[in-house]
Amino acid sequence: MQDEQAQIVTELAGLLANFQGREYSGTIDSQTLFFGELGFASIDAIVLGEELEKFYGRKFPFHSFLAAAQASGAEDISVGELAEFLHRQQSAGSPAR
């Protein structure tokens, strides 16, 4: 399970290194924060969700993930948290498109 989640973090790092034409030269790992470090705005999170659905070829309930983060009082989301969410969804057999 850890290997699969680590693979997702690696895939996310590849996508985020040059996301929407914005290069990020720092190291992207499980602790990297979307808003605080990568400079994401809320629209970027939506676009990333769409890109991930294309990349993995399936729909994900991102609205639930983001709503849960907001409800818990989180001010930012880490790459590791998103990787854990994606891993859980893939393991649960989230329906393919």
Side-chain angles (χ1 to χ4, degrees):
M1 181 160 111
Q2 289 293 345
D3 289 342
E4 293 167 358
Q5 198 164 322
Q7 177 62 35
I8 294 171
V9 169
T10 299
E11 292 165 352
L12 287 170
L15 289 169
L16 295 168
N18 189 12
F19 185 71
Q20 298 292 322
R22 291 181 305 204
E23 288 187 35
Y24 182 77
S25 60
T27 300
I28 298 174
D29 59 22
S30 63
Q31 302 300 311
T32 304
L33 299 174
F34 282 97
F35 299 98
E37 293 179 68
L38 296 176
F40 266 43
S42 57
I43 189 68
D44 295 319
I46 294 167
V47 173
L48 177 61
E50 292 170 352
E51 291 296 318
L52 290 171
E53 287 180 345
K54 286 183 208 171
F55 183 81
Y56 289 108
R58 61 184 359 146
K59 300 273 291 165
F60 294 105
F62 286 109
H63 60 282
S64 298
F65 170 68
L66 295 173
Q70 184 179 24
S72 73
E75 294 185 17
D76 212 332
I77 298 168
S78 71
V79 170
E81 290 169 317
L82 179 57
E84 183 179 338
F85 164 77
L86 293 169
H87 181 262
R88 277 194 321 264
Q89 292 301 311
Q90 290 176 337
S91 296
S94 180
R97 283 187 182 210

Coordinates of all heavy atoms in Angstrom, one line a residue:
M1 N 0.8 -1.2 0.0 CA 0.0 0.0 0.0 C 0.9 1.3 0.0 O 0.6 2.2 -0.7 CB -0.9 0.0 1.2 CG -1.9 1.2 1.2 SD -3.3 0.9 2.3 CE -2.9 2.1 3.6
Q2 N 1.9 1.3 0.8 CA 2.8 2.4 0.8 C 3.5 2.7 -0.5 O 3.7 3.8 -0.9 CB 3.8 2.3 2.0 CG 3.3 2.4 3.3 CD 2.8 3.8 3.6 OE1 3.1 4.8 2.9 NE2 2.0 3.9 4.7
D3 N 3.9 1.5 -1.2 CA 4.5 1.7 -2.5 C 3.5 2.3 -3.5 O 3.9 3.1 -4.3 CB 5.0 0.3 -3.0 CG 6.2 -0.2 -2.2 OD1 6.8 0.6 -1.5 OD2 6.4 -1.4 -2.3
E4 N 2.3 1.9 -3.4 CA 1.3 2.4 -4.4 C 1.1 3.9 -4.1 O 1.0 4.7 -5.0 CB 0.0 1.7 -4.3 CG 0.1 0.2 -4.7 CD -1.1 -0.6 -4.3 OE1 -2.0 -0.1 -3.7 OE2 -1.1 -1.8 -4.7
Q5 N 1.0 4.3 -2.8 CA 0.8 5.7 -2.5 C 2.0 6.5 -2.9 O 1.9 7.6 -3.3 CB 0.5 5.8 -1.0 CG -0.2 7.1 -0.7 CD -0.8 7.1 0.7 OE1 -1.4 6.1 1.1 NE2 -0.7 8.2 1.4
A6 N 3.2 5.9 -2.7 CA 4.4 6.6 -3.1 C 4.4 6.8 -4.6 O 4.9 7.9 -5.1 CB 5.7 5.8 -2.6
Q7 N 3.9 5.9 -5.3 CA 3.9 6.0 -6.8 C 2.9 7.1 -7.2 O 3.2 7.9 -8.1 CB 3.4 4.7 -7.4 CG 3.2 4.8 -8.9 CD 4.5 5.1 -9.7 OE1 5.6 4.7 -9.3 NE2 4.4 5.8 -10.8
I8 N 1.8 7.3 -6.5 CA 0.9 8.4 -6.7 C 1.5 9.7 -6.4 O 1.4 10.7 -7.2 CB -0.4 8.2 -5.9 CG1 -1.2 6.9 -6.4 CG2 -1.3 9.4 -6.1 CD1 -2.4 6.5 -5.6
V9 N 2.3 9.8 -5.4 CA 3.0 11.0 -5.0 C 4.0 11.4 -6.2 O 4.0 12.5 -6.6 CB 3.7 10.9 -3.7 CG1 4.7 12.1 -3.5 CG2 2.8 10.9 -2.5
T10 N 4.7 10.4 -6.7 CA 5.6 10.6 -7.8 C 4.8 11.1 -9.0 O 5.3 12.0 -9.7 CB 6.3 9.3 -8.1 OG1 7.1 8.9 -7.0 CG2 7.3 9.5 -9.3
E11 N 3.7 10.5 -9.3 CA 2.9 10.9 -10.5 C 2.4 12.4 -10.3 O 2.4 13.2 -11.2 CB 1.7 10.0 -10.7 CG 2.1 8.6 -11.1 CD 1.1 7.5 -11.0 OE1 0.0 7.8 -10.4 OE2 1.3 6.4 -11.5
L12 N 1.9 12.7 -9.1 CA 1.5 14.0 -8.8 C 2.6 15.0 -8.9 O 2.4 16.1 -9.5 CB 0.9 14.1 -7.4 CG -0.5 13.5 -7.1 CD1 -0.8 13.4 -5.6 CD2 -1.5 14.2 -7.9
A13 N 3.8 14.7 -8.4 CA 4.9 15.6 -8.6 C 5.2 15.9 -10.0 O 5.5 17.0 -10.4 CB 6.2 15.0 -7.9
G14 N 5.1 14.9 -10.9 CA 5.4 15.1 -12.3 C 4.3 16.0 -12.9 O 4.7 16.9 -13.7
L15 N 3.1 15.8 -12.5 CA 2.0 16.7 -13.0 C 2.2 18.2 -12.5 O 1.9 19.1 -13.3 CB 0.6 16.2 -12.6 CG 0.2 14.9 -13.3 CD1 -1.1 14.4 -12.6 CD2 -0.1 15.2 -14.8
L16 N 2.6 18.3 -11.3 CA 2.6 19.6 -10.7 C 3.9 20.4 -11.0 O 3.9 21.6 -10.8 CB 2.5 19.4 -9.1 CG 1.1 18.9 -8.7 CD1 1.2 18.5 -7.2 CD2 0.0 19.9 -8.9
A17 N 4.9 19.7 -11.4 CA 6.2 20.4 -11.7 C 6.0 21.5 -12.7 O 6.7 22.5 -12.7 CB 7.3 19.4 -12.1
N18 N 5.1 21.3 -13.7 CA 4.8 22.3 -14.7 C 3.3 22.4 -14.9 O 2.9 22.1 -16.0 CB 5.6 22.0 -16.0 CG 5.5 23.1 -17.0 OD1 5.1 24.2 -16.7 ND2 5.9 22.7 -18.2
F19 N 2.6 22.7 -13.9 CA 1.1 22.7 -14.0 C 0.6 24.0 -14.6 O 1.0 25.1 -14.1 CB 0.5 22.5 -12.6 CG -0.9 22.3 -12.5 CD1 -1.5 21.2 -13.0 CD2 -1.7 23.3 -12.0 CE1 -2.9 21.1 -13.0 CE2 -3.1 23.2 -12.0 CZ -3.7 22.1 -12.5
Q20 N -0.2 23.9 -15.6 CA -0.8 25.0 -16.2 C 0.3 26.0 -16.7 O 0.1 27.2 -16.6 CB -1.8 25.7 -15.3 CG -3.0 24.8 -14.9 CD -3.9 24.5 -16.2 OE1 -4.1 25.4 -17.0 NE2 -4.4 23.3 -16.2
G21 N 1.4 25.5 -17.1 CA 2.5 26.4 -17.6 C 3.3 27.1 -16.5 O 4.2 27.9 -16.9
R22 N 3.0 26.8 -15.3 CA 3.8 27.4 -14.2 C 4.8 26.4 -13.7 O 4.4 25.4 -13.1 CB 2.9 27.8 -13.0 CG 1.9 29.0 -13.4 CD 1.1 29.3 -12.2 NE 0.4 28.1 -11.7 CZ -0.7 28.1 -11.1 NH1 -1.3 29.2 -10.7 NH2 -1.3 27.0 -10.7
E23 N 6.0 26.7 -13.9 CA 7.1 25.8 -13.4 C 7.3 26.0 -11.9 O 7.3 27.1 -11.4 CB 8.4 26.1 -14.2 CG 8.4 25.6 -15.6 CD 9.7 25.7 -16.3 OE1 10.7 25.5 -15.6 OE2 9.7 26.0 -17.5
Y24 N 7.5 24.8 -11.2 CA 7.8 24.9 -9.8 C 9.2 24.1 -9.7 O 9.3 23.0 -10.0 CB 6.8 24.1 -9.0 CG 7.1 24.2 -7.5 CD1 6.8 25.3 -6.8 CD2 7.6 23.0 -6.9 CE1 7.1 25.3 -5.4 CE2 7.8 23.0 -5.5 CZ 7.6 24.2 -4.8 OH 7.9 24.2 -3.4
S25 N 10.2 24.9 -9.3 CA 11.6 24.3 -9.3 C 11.9 23.6 -8.0 O 12.9 22.9 -8.0 CB 12.6 25.4 -9.6 OG 12.5 26.4 -8.6
G26 N 11.1 23.7 -7.0 CA 11.4 23.1 -5.7 C 11.1 21.6 -5.8 O 10.4 21.1 -6.7
T27 N 11.4 20.9 -4.8 CA 11.1 19.5 -4.7 C 9.6 19.3 -4.3 O 9.2 20.0 -3.4 CB 12.0 18.8 -3.6 OG1 13.3 18.9 -3.9 CG2 11.6 17.3 -3.4
I28 N 8.9 18.5 -5.0 CA 7.5 18.2 -4.7 C 7.5 16.8 -4.1 O 7.8 15.8 -4.7 CB 6.6 18.3 -5.9 CG1 6.7 19.7 -6.5 CG2 5.2 17.9 -5.6 CD1 6.0 19.9 -7.8
D29 N 7.0 16.8 -2.8 CA 6.9 15.5 -2.1 C 5.6 15.4 -1.4 O 4.7 16.3 -1.6 CB 8.1 15.2 -1.2 CG 8.3 16.3 -0.1 OD1 7.3 17.0 0.2 OD2 9.4 16.4 0.4
S30 N 5.4 14.5 -0.5 CA 4.1 14.3 0.2 C 3.8 15.4 1.1 O 2.6 15.7 1.4 CB 4.1 13.0 0.9 OG 5.1 12.9 1.9
Q31 N 4.8 16.2 1.5 CA 4.6 17.3 2.5 C 4.3 18.6 1.8 O 3.9 19.6 2.4 CB 5.8 17.5 3.4 CG 6.1 16.2 4.2 CD 5.0 15.8 5.1 OE1 4.5 16.6 5.8 NE2 4.6 14.5 5.0
T32 N 4.5 18.7 0.5 CA 4.3 19.9 -0.3 C 2.9 20.4 -0.2 O 1.9 19.6 -0.4 CB 4.7 19.8 -1.7 OG1 6.1 19.3 -1.8 CG2 4.6 21.1 -2.5
L33 N 2.7 21.7 0.1 CA 1.3 22.2 0.2 C 0.9 22.9 -1.0 O 1.6 23.7 -1.7 CB 1.3 23.2 1.4 CG 1.6 22.7 2.8 CD1 1.7 23.8 3.8 CD2 0.6 21.6 3.2
F34 N -0.4 22.6 -1.4 CA -0.9 23.1 -2.7 C -1.0 24.7 -2.7 O -0.6 25.3 -3.7 CB -2.3 22.5 -3.0 CG -2.2 21.1 -3.6 CD1 -2.3 20.0 -2.7 CD2 -1.9 20.9 -4.9 CE1 -2.2 18.7 -3.2 CE2 -1.8 19.6 -5.4 CZ -1.9 18.6 -4.6
F35 N -1.6 25.2 -1.7 CA -1.8 26.6 -1.7 C -0.6 27.4 -1.2 O -0.2 28.4 -1.8 CB -3.1 27.0 -0.9 CG -4.3 26.3 -1.5 CD1 -4.8 25.1 -1.0 CD2 -5.0 26.9 -2.6 CE1 -5.9 24.5 -1.5 CE2 -6.1 26.2 -3.1 CZ -6.6 25.0 -2.6
G36 N 0.0 27.0 -0.1 CA 1.1 27.7 0.5 C 2.4 27.6 -0.3 O 3.1 28.6 -0.3
E37 N 2.7 26.5 -0.9 CA 3.9 26.3 -1.5 C 3.8 26.4 -3.0 O 4.7 27.0 -3.7 CB 4.6 25.0 -1.1 CG 5.0 25.0 0.4 CD 5.6 23.7 0.8 OE1 6.7 23.4 0.3 OE2 5.0 23.0 1.6
L38 N 2.8 25.7 -3.6 CA 2.7 25.7 -5.1 C 1.9 26.9 -5.6 O 1.9 27.1 -6.8 CB 2.0 24.4 -5.5 CG 2.7 23.1 -5.2 CD1 1.9 21.9 -5.6 CD2 4.1 23.1 -5.9
G39 N 1.4 27.7 -4.7 CA 0.7 28.9 -5.1 C -0.7 28.7 -5.8 O -1.1 29.5 -6.6
F40 N -1.3 27.6 -5.5 CA -2.6 27.3 -6.1 C -3.7 28.2 -5.6 O -3.6 28.7 -4.5 CB -3.0 25.9 -5.7 CG -2.7 24.8 -6.6 CD1 -1.4 24.7 -7.2 CD2 -3.6 23.8 -6.9 CE1 -1.1 23.7 -8.1 CE2 -3.3 22.8 -7.8 CZ -2.0 22.7 -8.4
A41 N -4.6 28.5 -6.5 CA -5.9 29.2 -6.2 C -7.0 28.1 -6.3 O -6.7 27.0 -6.8 CB -6.1 30.3 -7.2
S42 N -8.2 28.4 -5.8 CA -9.2 27.4 -5.8 C -9.5 26.9 -7.2 O -9.8 25.7 -7.4 CB -10.5 27.9 -5.1 OG -10.9 29.1 -5.8
I43 N -9.4 27.7 -8.2 CA -9.7 27.3 -9.6 C -8.6 26.2 -10.0 O -8.9 25.3 -10.8 CB -9.8 28.5 -10.6 CG1 -10.3 28.0 -12.0 CG2 -8.5 29.2 -10.7 CD1 -11.7 27.5 -12.0
D44 N -7.4 26.4 -9.5 CA -6.4 25.4 -9.8 C -6.7 24.1 -9.3 O -6.4 23.0 -10.0 CB -5.0 25.9 -9.3 CG -4.5 27.2 -9.9 OD1 -4.7 27.3 -11.1 OD2 -4.0 28.0 -9.2
A45 N -7.3 24.0 -8.1 CA -7.7 22.7 -7.6 C -8.8 22.0 -8.4 O -8.7 20.8 -8.6 CB -8.2 22.9 -6.1
I46 N -9.7 22.8 -9.0 CA -10.7 22.3 -9.9 C -10.0 21.7 -11.1 O -10.3 20.6 -11.6 CB -11.8 23.3 -10.2 CG1 -12.5 23.7 -8.9 CG2 -12.7 22.8 -11.3 CD1 -13.4 24.9 -9.0
V47 N -9.2 22.5 -11.7 CA -8.5 22.1 -13.0 C -7.6 20.9 -12.7 O -7.6 19.9 -13.5 CB -7.6 23.3 -13.5 CG1 -6.8 22.8 -14.7 CG2 -8.5 24.4 -14.0
L48 N -6.9 20.8 -11.5 CA -6.1 19.6 -11.2 C -7.0 18.4 -11.1 O -6.7 17.3 -11.6 CB -5.4 19.8 -9.9 CG -4.6 18.6 -9.4 CD1 -3.5 18.3 -10.4 CD2 -4.0 18.9 -8.0
G49 N -8.2 18.6 -10.5 CA -9.1 17.4 -10.4 C -9.5 16.9 -11.8 O -9.5 15.7 -12.0
E50 N -9.7 17.8 -12.7 CA -10.1 17.4 -14.1 C -8.9 16.7 -14.7 O -9.1 15.7 -15.4 CB -10.5 18.6 -14.9 CG -11.8 19.2 -14.4 CD -12.1 20.5 -15.1 OE1 -11.3 21.1 -15.8 OE2 -13.3 21.0 -14.9
E51 N -7.7 17.2 -14.5 CA -6.5 16.6 -15.1 C -6.2 15.2 -14.5 O -5.9 14.3 -15.2 CB -5.3 17.5 -14.9 CG -5.3 18.8 -15.6 CD -5.2 18.6 -17.1 OE1 -4.4 17.7 -17.6 OE2 -6.0 19.3 -17.9
L52 N -6.5 15.1 -13.2 CA -6.3 13.7 -12.6 C -7.3 12.7 -13.1 O -7.0 11.6 -13.3 CB -6.3 13.9 -11.1 CG -5.1 14.6 -10.5 CD1 -5.4 14.9 -9.0 CD2 -3.8 13.8 -10.7
E53 N -8.5 13.2 -13.3 CA -9.5 12.3 -13.9 C -9.1 11.8 -15.3 O -9.3 10.6 -15.6 CB -10.9 12.9 -13.9 CG -11.4 13.0 -12.4 CD -12.8 13.7 -12.4 OE1 -13.3 14.3 -13.3 OE2 -13.4 13.5 -11.3
K54 N -8.5 12.7 -16.1 CA -8.1 12.3 -17.4 C -6.9 11.3 -17.2 O -6.8 10.3 -17.9 CB -7.6 13.5 -18.2 CG -8.7 14.4 -18.7 CD -8.1 15.5 -19.5 CE -9.1 16.7 -19.5 NZ -8.4 17.9 -20.1
F55 N -5.9 11.7 -16.4 CA -4.7 10.9 -16.2 C -5.0 9.5 -15.7 O -4.5 8.5 -16.3 CB -3.8 11.6 -15.1 CG -2.5 10.9 -14.9 CD1 -1.5 11.1 -15.8 CD2 -2.3 10.1 -13.8 CE1 -0.2 10.5 -15.6 CE2 -1.1 9.4 -13.6 CZ -0.1 9.6 -14.5
Y56 N -6.0 9.3 -14.8 CA -6.3 8.0 -14.3 C -7.5 7.3 -15.0 O -7.8 6.2 -14.7 CB -6.6 8.1 -12.8 CG -5.4 8.3 -11.9 CD1 -5.1 9.6 -11.3 CD2 -4.4 7.4 -11.8 CE1 -4.0 9.8 -10.6 CE2 -3.2 7.6 -11.0 CZ -3.0 8.8 -10.5 OH -1.9 9.1 -9.7
G57 N -8.1 8.1 -15.9 CA -9.2 7.5 -16.6 C -10.4 7.1 -15.8 O -11.1 6.2 -16.2
R58 N -10.7 7.9 -14.8 CA -11.9 7.6 -13.9 C -12.3 8.9 -13.2 O -11.5 9.9 -13.1 CB -11.6 6.6 -12.9 CG -10.4 6.9 -12.0 CD -10.0 5.8 -11.0 NE -10.8 4.6 -11.1 CZ -10.3 3.4 -10.9 NH1 -9.1 3.2 -10.6 NH2 -11.1 2.4 -11.0
K59 N -13.5 8.9 -12.7 CA -14.0 10.0 -12.0 C -13.7 9.8 -10.5 O -13.6 8.7 -10.0 CB -15.6 10.1 -12.1 CG -16.1 10.3 -13.5 CD -16.2 11.7 -13.9 CE -17.2 12.6 -13.3 NZ -16.9 14.0 -13.6
F60 N -13.4 10.9 -9.8 CA -13.2 10.9 -8.4 C -14.1 11.9 -7.7 O -14.4 13.0 -8.3 CB -11.7 11.3 -8.1 CG -10.7 10.3 -8.6 CD1 -9.9 10.6 -9.7 CD2 -10.5 9.1 -7.9 CE1 -9.0 9.7 -10.1 CE2 -9.5 8.2 -8.4 CZ -8.8 8.5 -9.5
P61 N -14.5 11.7 -6.5 CA -15.4 12.6 -5.8 C -14.6 13.7 -5.1 O -14.5 13.8 -3.9 CB -16.1 11.7 -4.8 CG -15.2 10.6 -4.5 CD -14.4 10.4 -5.8
F62 N -13.9 14.5 -5.9 CA -13.1 15.6 -5.4 C -13.9 16.6 -4.5 O -13.3 17.1 -3.5 CB -12.4 16.4 -6.5 CG -11.3 15.6 -7.1 CD1 -11.4 15.1 -8.4 CD2 -10.1 15.4 -6.4 CE1 -10.4 14.4 -9.0 CE2 -9.1 14.6 -7.0 CZ -9.2 14.1 -8.3
H63 N -15.1 16.8 -4.8 CA -15.9 17.7 -4.0 C -16.0 17.2 -2.6 O -15.9 18.0 -1.7 CB -17.3 17.9 -4.6 CG -18.1 16.7 -4.8 ND1 -17.9 15.7 -5.8 CD2 -19.1 16.2 -4.0 CE1 -18.7 14.7 -5.6 NE2 -19.4 15.0 -4.5
S64 N -16.1 15.9 -2.4 CA -16.2 15.4 -1.1 C -14.9 15.5 -0.3 O -14.8 15.8 0.9 CB -16.6 13.9 -1.1 OG -17.9 13.7 -1.7
F65 N -13.8 15.3 -1.1 CA -12.4 15.4 -0.5 C -12.2 16.9 0.0 O -11.8 17.1 1.1 CB -11.4 15.0 -1.5 CG -10.0 15.3 -1.1 CD1 -9.4 14.6 -0.1 CD2 -9.3 16.3 -1.8 CE1 -8.0 14.9 0.2 CE2 -8.0 16.6 -1.5 CZ -7.3 15.9 -0.5
L66 N -12.5 17.8 -0.9 CA -12.3 19.2 -0.5 C -13.2 19.7 0.6 O -12.8 20.4 1.5 CB -12.5 20.1 -1.8 CG -11.4 19.9 -2.9 CD1 -11.8 20.7 -4.1 CD2 -10.0 20.2 -2.4
A67 N -14.5 19.2 0.5 CA -15.4 19.6 1.6 C -15.0 19.0 2.9 O -15.1 19.7 4.0 CB -16.8 19.1 1.2
A68 N -14.5 17.8 3.0 CA -14.0 17.2 4.2 C -12.8 18.0 4.8 O -12.7 18.2 6.0 CB -13.7 15.7 4.0
A69 N -11.9 18.4 3.9 CA -10.8 19.2 4.3 C -11.2 20.5 4.9 O -10.7 20.9 6.0 CB -9.8 19.4 3.1
Q70 N -12.2 21.1 4.2 CA -12.7 22.4 4.7 C -13.4 22.2 6.1 O -13.2 23.0 7.0 CB -13.6 23.1 3.7 CG -14.1 24.4 4.1 CD -15.0 25.1 3.1 OE1 -15.6 24.4 2.3 NE2 -15.0 26.4 3.1
A71 N -14.2 21.2 6.2 CA -14.9 21.0 7.4 C -14.0 20.7 8.6 O -14.4 21.0 9.7 CB -15.9 19.8 7.2
S72 N -12.9 20.1 8.3 CA -11.9 19.8 9.4 C -11.1 21.0 9.8 O -10.3 20.9 10.7 CB -11.0 18.7 9.0 OG -10.0 19.1 8.0
G73 N -11.3 22.1 9.1 CA -10.6 23.4 9.4 C -9.3 23.5 8.7 O -8.5 24.4 9.0
A74 N -8.9 22.6 7.8 CA -7.7 22.6 7.1 C -7.6 23.9 6.3 O -8.5 24.3 5.6 CB -7.5 21.4 6.2
E75 N -6.4 24.5 6.4 CA -6.2 25.8 5.6 C -5.4 25.5 4.3 O -5.3 26.3 3.4 CB -5.5 26.8 6.4 CG -6.3 27.3 7.6 CD -5.6 28.4 8.3 OE1 -4.7 29.0 7.8 OE2 -6.1 28.7 9.5
D76 N -4.9 24.3 4.2 CA -4.1 23.8 3.0 C -4.2 22.3 2.9 O -4.6 21.6 3.9 CB -2.7 24.3 3.1 CG -2.1 24.6 1.8 OD1 -2.5 24.0 0.8 OD2 -1.1 25.4 1.7
I77 N -3.8 21.8 1.8 CA -3.9 20.4 1.5 C -2.5 20.0 1.0 O -1.9 20.7 0.1 CB -4.9 20.0 0.5 CG1 -6.3 20.4 1.0 CG2 -4.9 18.6 0.1 CD1 -7.4 20.4 -0.1
S78 N -2.0 18.9 1.5 CA -0.6 18.4 1.1 C -0.8 17.4 -0.1 O -1.8 16.8 -0.3 CB 0.1 17.8 2.2 OG -0.5 16.5 2.6
V79 N 0.3 17.3 -0.8 CA 0.3 16.3 -1.9 C 0.1 14.9 -1.3 O -0.6 14.1 -1.9 CB 1.7 16.4 -2.6 CG1 1.9 15.3 -3.6 CG2 1.8 17.8 -3.4
G80 N 0.6 14.6 -0.1 CA 0.4 13.4 0.5 C -1.1 13.1 0.8 O -1.6 12.0 0.7
E81 N -1.8 14.1 1.2 CA -3.2 13.9 1.5 C -4.0 13.6 0.3 O -4.9 12.8 0.3 CB -3.8 15.2 2.2 CG -3.3 15.4 3.6 CD -3.6 16.7 4.2 OE1 -3.5 17.8 3.5 OE2 -4.0 16.8 5.4
L82 N -3.7 14.3 -0.8 CA -4.3 14.0 -2.1 C -4.0 12.6 -2.6 O -4.8 11.9 -3.1 CB -4.0 15.1 -3.1 CG -4.6 14.9 -4.5 CD1 -6.1 14.8 -4.4 CD2 -4.1 15.9 -5.5
A83 N -2.7 12.2 -2.4 CA -2.3 10.9 -2.8 C -3.0 9.8 -2.0 O -3.4 8.8 -2.6 CB -0.8 10.7 -2.7
E84 N -3.2 10.1 -0.7 CA -3.9 9.1 0.1 C -5.4 9.0 -0.4 O -5.9 7.9 -0.5 CB -3.9 9.5 1.6 CG -4.5 8.6 2.5 CD -4.5 9.1 3.9 OE1 -3.6 9.9 4.3 OE2 -5.3 8.6 4.7
F85 N -6.0 10.1 -0.7 CA -7.4 10.1 -1.2 C -7.5 9.3 -2.5 O -8.3 8.5 -2.7 CB -7.8 11.6 -1.4 CG -9.1 11.7 -2.3 CD1 -10.3 11.4 -1.8 CD2 -8.9 12.1 -3.6 CE1 -11.4 11.5 -2.6 CE2 -10.1 12.2 -4.4 CZ -11.3 11.9 -3.9
L86 N -6.5 9.6 -3.4 CA -6.6 8.9 -4.7 C -6.3 7.4 -4.5 O -7.0 6.6 -5.2 CB -5.5 9.5 -5.7 CG -5.7 10.9 -6.1 CD1 -4.5 11.5 -6.8 CD2 -7.0 11.0 -7.0
H87 N -5.4 7.1 -3.7 CA -5.2 5.7 -3.4 C -6.4 5.0 -2.8 O -6.8 3.9 -3.3 CB -4.0 5.5 -2.4 CG -3.7 4.1 -2.2 ND1 -4.1 3.4 -1.0 CD2 -3.0 3.2 -2.9 CE1 -3.7 2.2 -1.1 NE2 -3.0 2.0 -2.2
R88 N -7.1 5.6 -1.9 CA -8.3 5.0 -1.3 C -9.4 4.8 -2.3 O -10.0 3.8 -2.4 CB -8.8 5.9 -0.2 CG -8.2 5.7 1.2 CD -9.0 6.4 2.3 NE -9.6 7.7 1.9 CZ -9.1 8.9 2.2 NH1 -7.9 8.9 2.8 NH2 -9.7 10.0 1.9
Q89 N -9.5 5.8 -3.2 CA -10.5 5.7 -4.3 C -10.2 4.6 -5.2 O -11.1 3.9 -5.6 CB -10.6 7.1 -5.0 CG -11.2 8.2 -4.2 CD -12.6 7.9 -3.6 OE1 -13.5 7.5 -4.4 NE2 -12.8 8.0 -2.4
Q90 N -9.0 4.5 -5.6 CA -8.6 3.4 -6.6 C -8.7 2.1 -5.9 O -9.1 1.1 -6.5 CB -7.1 3.7 -7.0 CG -7.0 4.9 -8.0 CD -5.6 5.2 -8.4 OE1 -4.7 4.8 -7.7 NE2 -5.5 5.9 -9.5
S91 N -8.4 2.0 -4.6 CA -8.5 0.7 -3.9 C -9.9 0.3 -3.7 O -10.2 -0.9 -3.7 CB -7.8 0.8 -2.5 OG -6.4 1.0 -2.7
A92 N -10.8 1.3 -3.6 CA -12.2 1.0 -3.4 C -12.9 0.7 -4.7 O -14.1 0.4 -4.7 CB -12.9 2.2 -2.7
G93 N -12.2 0.8 -5.8 CA -12.8 0.5 -7.1 C -13.7 1.6 -7.6 O -14.7 1.3 -8.1
S94 N -13.3 2.8 -7.4 CA -14.0 4.0 -7.9 C -14.4 3.7 -9.3 O -13.5 3.3 -10.1 CB -13.2 5.3 -7.7 OG -13.9 6.4 -8.2
P95 N -15.6 3.9 -9.7 CA -16.0 3.6 -11.1 C -15.2 4.3 -12.2 O -15.0 5.5 -12.0 CB -17.5 4.0 -11.1 CG -17.7 5.0 -10.0 CD -16.7 4.6 -9.0
A96 N -14.8 3.6 -13.2 CA -14.1 4.1 -14.3 C -15.2 4.9 -15.1 O -16.3 4.7 -15.1 CB -13.5 3.0 -15.1
R97 N -14.6 5.8 -15.9 CA -15.5 6.6 -16.8 C -16.1 5.8 -17.8 O -15.6 5.0 -18.4 CB -14.7 7.7 -17.4 CG -14.4 8.9 -16.5 CD -13.8 9.9 -17.4 NE -13.5 11.0 -16.5 CZ -13.5 12.3 -16.8 NH1 -13.7 12.6 -18.0 NH2 -13.2 13.2 -16.0

